[in-house]
């Protein structure tokens, strides 16, 4: 199958070109010809390219992948109206998780019958893994990520901690910090899935303490530690408990289960295989 694959530049989604090629597809990265069998728009970051290719090749099935659908965001502003229009014009919409698909359909009536969780890049994680005696949270410094909660809970519990943001730290430093932390925190109000940082930490057998939003529970089930998403006090209590018990068999076994889940479900080849299977079913 000839796939026109539109991905953001310098993004982990670029890995799909090679993985889909291994599965026997001809992949045109960020371009389309009249001979393409399908167009995959993998992110709202390539929204404008999506509209252009839809205009130029209206008869080629176009599939959009929707990563996010948050209750707290106003979908009538910014890029959202254009993104929603592109999803409405799509042959099919895929989602990052079942809860993302359900929330989007509830607000727009756009159905998303297929969802695929994210993946990490395992070849990045070759360094030594140790316990450096600190905890961390890593993501964009957006309000809904609640870094203030993370810092307050860590300070009140006298736990050494680090906060990492992609636009302020280089990738090798982030990788080193993950591989040497005691455990990872995700204090977000909501996310579409269990977050990439949690997948990366779990790949390194690091325990994860995460808010019990729907995407986390869908992704991780009982393989991570949860706190009540609306309770700072519960975050403080669970953080203290996990810090005091991080070396116990119970905590280590749960981290190993999460690691196994990443190894079996959240790598590039798994994502590409789901694309391959879905395309063969619908085209």
């Amino acid at each position: 199958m000839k796939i026109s694959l539109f991905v953001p530049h310098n993004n982990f989604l670029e890995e799909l070109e090679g993985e889909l090629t291994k599965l026997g597809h001809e992949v045109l990265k960020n371009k389309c010809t009249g001979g393409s069998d399908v167009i995959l728009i993998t992110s709202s970051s390539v929204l404008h390219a999506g509209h252009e290719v839809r205009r130029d090749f209206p008869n080629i099935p176009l599939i959009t992948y929707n990563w996010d659908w948050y209750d707290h965001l106003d979908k009538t502003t910014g890029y959202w109206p254009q993104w929603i229009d592109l999803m409405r014009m799509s042959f099919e919409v895929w989602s990052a998780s079942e809860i993302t698909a359900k929330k989007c359909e509830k607000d727009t009536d756009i159905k998303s019958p297929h969802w695929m969780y994210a993946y990490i890049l395992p070849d990045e994680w070759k360094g030594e893994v140790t316990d450096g005696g600190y905890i961390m949270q890593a993501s964009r410094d957006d309000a809904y990520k609640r870094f203030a909660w993370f810092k307050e809970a860590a300070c009140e519990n006298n736990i050494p901690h680090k906060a990492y943001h992609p636009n302020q730290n280089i990738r090798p430093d982030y990788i080193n910090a993950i591989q040497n932390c005691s455990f990872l925190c995700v204090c977000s109000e909501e996310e579409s899935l269990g977050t990439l940082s949690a997948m990366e930490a779990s790949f390194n057998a690091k325990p994860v303490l995460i808010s019990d939003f729907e995407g986390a529970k869908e992704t991780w089930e009982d393989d991570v530690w949860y706190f009540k998403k609306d309770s700072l006090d519960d975050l403080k209590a669970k953080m203290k408990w996990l810090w005091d018990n991080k070396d116990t068999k119970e905590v280590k076994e749960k981290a190993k289960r999460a690691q196994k889940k990443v190894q079996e479900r959240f790598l590039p080849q798994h994502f590409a295989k789901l694309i391959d299977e879905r395309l063969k079913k619908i085209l």
Side-chain angles (χ1 to χ4, degrees):
M1 193 176 298
K2 183 181 286 189
I3 301 172
S4 288
L5 178 73
F6 286 81
V7 295
H9 295 293
N10 298 318
N11 186 279
F12 76 101
L13 289 167
E14 292 180 303
E15 193 78 8
L16 290 175
E17 179 183 10
E19 293 297 333
L20 289 169
T21 300
K22 290 177 189 176
L23 293 173
H25 299 285
E26 180 182 352
V27 181
L28 305 178
K29 180 182 169 185
N30 292 330
K31 61 183 177 181
C32 184
T33 70
S36 296
D37 296 302
V38 65
I39 300 165
L40 297 185
I41 305 298
T42 62
S43 167
S44 59
S45 297
V46 289
L47 163 66
H48 297 300
H51 275 284
E52 290 174 0
V53 77
R54 173 65 180 174
R55 178 199 64 208
D56 295 341
F57 301 98
N59 296 321
I60 298 176
L62 182 143
I63 295 171
T64 49
Y65 186 89
N66 186 36
W67 285 94
D68 303 316
W69 199 270
Y70 299 148
D71 293 333
H72 71 272
L73 291 179
D74 181 0
K75 316 296 190 312
T76 64
T77 62
Y79 70 86
W80 283 103
Q82 285 185 297
W83 181 241
I84 292 169
D85 284 345
L86 187 62
M87 287 196 290
R88 290 192 189 283
M89 292 187 288
S90 298
F91 180 80
E92 192 165 77
V93 175
W94 299 344
S95 296
S97 61
E98 183 177 9
I99 189 62
T100 301
K102 286 181 176 179
K103 286 185 175 184
C104 181
E105 182 177 358
K106 179 175 177 287
D107 291 345
T108 65
D109 290 328
I110 298 172
K111 295 185 182 298
S112 180
H114 185 59
W115 48 87
M116 306 181 296
Y117 304 107
Y119 61 87
I120 68 161
L121 303 178
D123 291 343
E124 290 186 309
W125 303 93
K126 300 297 187 183
E128 183 182 3
V129 178
T130 65
D131 183 346
Y134 62 88
I135 64 174
M136 68 179 291
Q137 176 163 305
S139 188
R140 299 186 309 275
D141 194 11
D142 295 337
Y144 76 95
K145 304 283 188 178
R146 299 193 299 199
F147 276 87
W149 277 33
F150 168 70
K151 293 174 185 177
E152 181 176 338
C155 288
E156 186 167 309
N157 285 314
N158 294 313
I159 299 174
H161 57 282
K162 295 183 179 182
Y164 268 69
H165 312 298
N167 61 340
Q168 297 175 20
N169 304 101
I170 61 174
R171 185 70 178 172
D173 284 350
Y174 164 76
I175 290 171
N176 182 67
I178 287 279
Q179 291 188 312
N180 290 283
C181 73
S182 298
F183 61 84
L184 181 86
C185 293
V186 180
C187 298
S188 301
E189 198 178 338
E190 59 177 332
E191 300 278 1
S192 293
L193 38 75
T195 77
L196 284 175
S197 62
M199 289 181 181
E200 290 166 334
S202 294
F203 183 73
N204 289 280
K206 299 294 182 178
V208 173
L209 175 62
I210 193 167
S211 165
D212 64 352
F213 53 83
E214 297 100 323
K217 292 188 289 185
E218 178 184 337
T219 305
W220 294 112
E221 300 172 302
D222 189 40
D223 296 332
V224 296
W225 301 94
Y226 295 101
F227 70 91
K228 297 174 184 176
K229 66 179 180 180
D230 297 324
S231 175
L232 176 56
D233 287 339
D234 194 50
L235 167 61
K236 292 175 181 178
K238 295 293 174 53
M239 183 183 287
K240 176 69 164 59
W241 183 90
L242 191 54
W243 178 255
D244 291 341
N245 292 275
K246 60 188 175 70
D247 295 321
T248 63
K249 180 181 178 182
E250 179 186 11
V251 170
K252 290 182 179 295
E253 285 182 347
K254 184 169 285 198
K256 283 293 185 181
R257 292 203 307 270
Q259 182 185 47
K260 187 172 184 287
K261 179 172 285 186
V262 176
Q263 292 169 340
E264 294 179 349
R265 294 179 56 188
F266 302 144
L267 299 181
Q269 62 267 31
H270 304 138
F271 199 91
K273 184 179 179 183
L274 290 172
I275 292 175
D276 174 69
E277 291 172 347
R278 186 64 182 176
L279 291 179
K280 288 175 178 176
K281 182 176 181 179
I282 64 176
L283 295 179

